Amino acid sequence: MAIAYIALGSNLNQPVQQLNAAIQAMAVLPQTQVLAVSSFYRSKPLGPQDQPDYINAVAKIQTALEPLALLDALQHIENQQGRVRLRHWGERTLDLDILLYGQRVIQSERLTIPHYDMQNREFVMIPLYEIDSDLILPDGVKLSDLMKNIKNNQMVLVIQNK
């Protein structure tokens, strides 16, 4: 069993409900348990600014699924919830990204873990820190040290999950 962290994001079709449905879907994946879910945050889009704000969160799961099997399962959840890729970094019904998978480092055509540039994305780092402030990344860096560079300039707490 491995501990994995999943970033959730949505800015279409009732984003809060999309994230809640995704969390429920992850909870019934085979050999997988949702251990924690961060609060939900509203943030400005990373890409084109002519789209609605996002609702973001991070989930901590324990799973026996291997990384690519987990990726396939998450993409299936996205598709079940109507994910359509209209443009790069564009609007979406649901986006599920594997941020971390244990202490593994993976660089393949389909999957990069740790997730690309996550340490520079406040909409990932703030919810990740909320659910696991003692986390140490695969490169040995403490999440708490990285948080010193994160400034919450644009995020707003929407729903606090405590």
Side-chain angles (χ1 to χ4, degrees), residues 91-109:
E91 50 281 299
R92 53 198 67 171
T93 304
L94 182 63
D95 188 27
L96 301 173
D97 291 321
I98 304 171
L99 300 172
L100 298 163
Y101 186 97
Q103 290 296 307
R104 290 219 194 146
V105 175
I106 300 170
Q107 188 80 28
S108 73
E109 187 176 308

Side-chain angles (χ1 to χ4, degrees), residues 33 40 45 61 64 73 108 118 135 137 147 157:
Q33 179 182 6
F40 291 6
I61 65 171
S108 73
M118 66 179 253
L135 183 65
L137 303 180
M147 291 304 294
L157 179 66

Side-chain angles (χ1 to χ4, degrees), residues 100-144:
L100 298 163
Y101 186 97
Q103 290 296 307
R104 290 219 194 146
V105 175
I106 300 170
Q107 188 80 28
S108 73
E109 187 176 308
R110 290 193 59 212
L111 186 60
T112 300
I113 296 176
H115 190 276
Y116 168 75
D117 208 31
M118 66 179 253
Q119 69 275 10
N120 294 315
R121 297 177 178 179
E122 64 185 25
F123 59 88
V124 168
M125 297 298 285
I126 290 171
L128 180 60
Y129 183 76
E130 178 186 324
I131 60 173
D132 200 341
S133 60
D134 296 328
L135 183 65
I136 298 175
L137 303 180
D139 62 3
V141 174
K142 293 179 182 177
L143 180 61
S144 58

